[in-house]
Amino acid sequence: MKLKIGVLCALLIISLATLPHTSLIFAQDAAPFRAELTVRADRPKGVINRNIYGQFAEHLGRLIYGGLWVGEDSPIPNTRGLRNDVVAALKELHIPVLRWPGGCFSDEYHWRDGIGPRDKRPRRPNASWGGVDTNAFGTHEFMDLCEMLGAEPYINGNLGSGTPQEMMEWVEYMTSDSDSTLARLRRQNGRDKPWKVPYFAVGNESWGCGGEMRPEYYADEYRRYATFIKDYSGNHIQKLAVGPHDDYYNWTEVLMSQAARQMQGLSLHYYTLPTGDWARKGSATQFGEGEWHATLVRTLRIEEFIAKHSAIMDKYDPQKRVGLMVDEWGTWYDPEPGKDMGALYQQNTLRDAVVAGLNLNIFNNHSDRVKMANIAQMVNVLQAMVLTDKDKMVLTPTYYVFRMYKVHQGATLIPVELSAPDYGMGQASIPSLNASASRDQDGKLHLSIVNLDPNRSAEITTRVTGSTVRSITGEVLTAPLMNAMNTFEHPNAIRPTQFSSYKIQDSQVTLSIPPKSVVVLELQ
Ligand code: AHR
């Protein structure tokens, strides 16, 4: 009998654990876990490059067309064709740098298609993602967007199907203040002063969609193309080379040994797939605790990739002159039911917020080598900040994480030491907490903490060395359900709220961090 009851209980637990949204069931009575955190305010490190908070916008799905660009004649309120609501929301994130036009699309993009009168621009098939590109959004529109957002442009050049001459002339068109034919053409097209272009990449994923190249071949091509990317009229370009994908360590080895001298950055792309299987990635919204856990396990692997690629880079560049640019990262799920496969439109839940918090903490903590990161992608595609449907817009949980974390941009990294129990499921265990800290230029100390455990809150005894904490302010992003999301019908279902669950007693700080949450605090 006892055995039967035991078996029944086990079956019940297994079936609950595989149901979606079981965190609610478990969360009710779970006792908090204890943890210790030391914030080493007396041991400041280097500066967190603000470009870690960068974004990526590709000609794909409804990102550019509909998400950002609606055209000057649209009934959707816009400024010079760019929709006002989306631009206003994005401005709040203080986006430092914006990557465009791809992605895979950059190796099929010919910049001359996207300049001059819009009604004369050619319509081209978007070979990477489907549909026809009207080219209504081109260089001038992108630069206008960057100026509206206050973001620096990061242009990804076409190595795969373009020529060094085409790349060279694009740079001249954008940045030359001379009387050359191309500078005159830019003026004729409405832009008198040249733009500054601080970042330019030579190709994208050249080991895959960018041309299926071997690292040795790409290294030679990179050096050839990079030679013709010139600095005009006081502009100074940092040149970025295509880097590895996940664990292609040989690629990094070859690029660093053969082309490090010609580059300022090496890119790295890493996507979080809940299942790790490209054929069946997992749903954006329908998942149980097993998939929650697996997603976080896979996200945390980025730390290993950064560490391993950094170790290779250290051999050739011990001064850390070349940045590791994580210029595509984020979650990638199965297409939303009823949505076009190639559009990569996906919903965004509290799980994505946790993924974002983890990645940003990891980038902060590796900011000696990680000099830029660009989440994929800004609007309506993959792990987006903003979703739009005609004239409607919603802000995603990921958006709020970027808004909360902007305090770390350009601040000085403060090391943290965490001692917390593991959050385990099946064979895999991961730390239940993750954190990073920084001190900004006004001396304010900020701490961001992610609680990965969807069931238990954390009671964290916190010590700040070299500073006395008298009060704490901040925000917390959480919700009762793991898959809490904002929809067009309920756009405010999940938003950050004020954080107040802390105690300070005789200079001892105790933070109470809810299950499945992202918290950013100012320690005063
Ligand atoms: O972000 C979507 C695609 O993912 C990009 O175009 C490509 O670079 C990567 O494979």
Side-chain angles (χ1 to χ4, degrees), residues 56 58 103-104 129 204-205 269 271 328 332 344 376-377 382:
F56 171 35
E58 182 167 10
C104 294
W129 302 107
N204 169 76
E205 296 191 356
H269 293 178
Y271 286 100
E328 288 185 29
W332 195 327
L344 308 189
Q377 300 196 12
L382 301 179

Side-chain angles (χ1 to χ4, degrees), residues 39-357:
V39 180
R40 291 266 169 218
D42 55 343
R43 295 197 196 157
K45 287 191 151 183
V47 167
I48 298 172
N49 197 314
R50 58 192 299 263
N51 288 344
I52 283 175
Y53 292 82
Q55 301 269 337
F56 171 35
E58 182 167 10
H59 280 241
L60 155 56
R62 298 193 59 76
L63 198 164
I64 301 290
Y65 301 110
L68 288 163
W69 177 262
V70 287
E72 284 157 337
D73 301 332
S74 169
I76 298 175
N78 68 83
T79 304
R80 295 184 294 281
L82 291 160
R83 56 189 291 173
N84 293 346
D85 53 353
V86 174
V87 169
L90 292 172
K91 262 176 102 159
E92 281 200 43
L93 302 184
H94 297 176
I95 295 171
V97 61
L98 180 57
R99 177 176 183 240
W100 173 84
C104 294
F105 184 79
S106 39
D107 282 300
E108 61 173 277
Y109 184 65
H110 299 284
W111 66 272
R112 280 189 169 83
D113 291 349
I115 57 168
R118 281 191 206 103
D119 57 350
K120 305 253 163 9
R121 295 186 193 175
R123 301 166 73 87
R124 306 256 188 233
N126 184 328
S128 297
W129 302 107
V132 170
D133 197 313
T134 62
N135 279 302
F137 187 91
T139 302
H140 291 251
E141 292 76 14
F142 171 67
M143 291 299 192
D144 199 14
L145 172 66
C146 286
E147 286 179 347
M148 285 185 197
L149 296 176
E152 287 188 309
Y154 164 13
I155 302 273
N156 206 120
N158 178 349
L159 168 79
S161 68
T163 62
Q165 183 178 0
E166 183 185 7
M167 203 179 268
M168 178 167 96
E169 289 179 351
W170 195 7
V171 172
E172 183 194 336
Y173 179 86
M174 291 185 287
T175 61
S176 169
D177 205 10
S178 74
D179 194 27
S180 73
T181 302
L182 283 173
R184 281 187 181 193
L185 182 60
R186 185 196 63 240
R187 290 190 193 101
Q188 206 179 303
N189 287 333
R191 174 72 184 199
D192 181 25
K193 284 281 144 217
W195 294 287
K196 293 281 182 226
V197 177
Y199 309 102
F200 197 99
V202 179
N204 169 76
E205 296 191 356
S206 304
W207 36 262
C209 65
E212 300 269 356
M213 298 173 198
R214 292 171 303 107
E216 292 78 9
Y217 180 80
Y218 174 74
D220 283 349
E221 286 293 89
Y222 173 79
R223 287 156 56 129
R224 171 169 173 239
Y225 277 66
T227 308
F228 299 99
I229 299 173
K230 309 279 187 196
D231 285 343
Y232 297 99
S233 311
N235 184 56
H236 179 61
I237 294 193
Q238 296 200 31
K239 298 171 197 171
L240 274 51
V242 167
H245 173 49
D246 297 5
D247 53 359
Y248 296 173
Y249 296 113
N250 182 50
W251 184 280
T252 303
E253 191 80 48
V254 172
L255 263 288
M256 287 306 290
S257 62
Q258 298 182 14
R261 210 163 45 81
Q262 287 82 5
M263 71 174 82
Q264 281 73 45
L266 183 69
S267 107
L268 171 73
H269 293 178
Y270 181 65
Y271 286 100
T272 300
L273 279 60
T275 61
D277 176 358
W278 284 96
R280 200 189 50 84
K281 303 177 205 56
S283 160
T285 56
Q286 302 306 305
F287 55 89
E289 192 180 343
E291 237 168 77
W292 165 279
H293 188 270
T295 305
L296 304 187
V297 170
R298 293 211 159 78
T299 275
L300 289 173
R301 287 206 69 197
I302 192 148
E303 181 138 40
E304 176 198 329
F305 296 130
I306 291 172
K308 288 189 175 162
H309 289 293
S310 297
I312 299 170
M313 293 173 83
D314 285 349
K315 281 201 288 179
Y316 301 97
D317 174 35
Q319 309 301 326
K320 299 187 194 292
R321 185 189 57 78
V322 180
L324 186 59
M325 317 304 220
V326 190
D327 54 11
E328 288 185 29
W329 68 272
T331 51
W332 195 327
Y333 304 117
D334 289 333
E336 201 88 343
K339 298 272 180 192
D340 170 19
M341 276 280 278
L344 308 189
Y345 177 90
Q346 63 190 35
Q347 247 297 358
N348 195 293
T349 69
L350 176 57
R351 177 174 62 167
D352 295 87
V354 167
V355 166

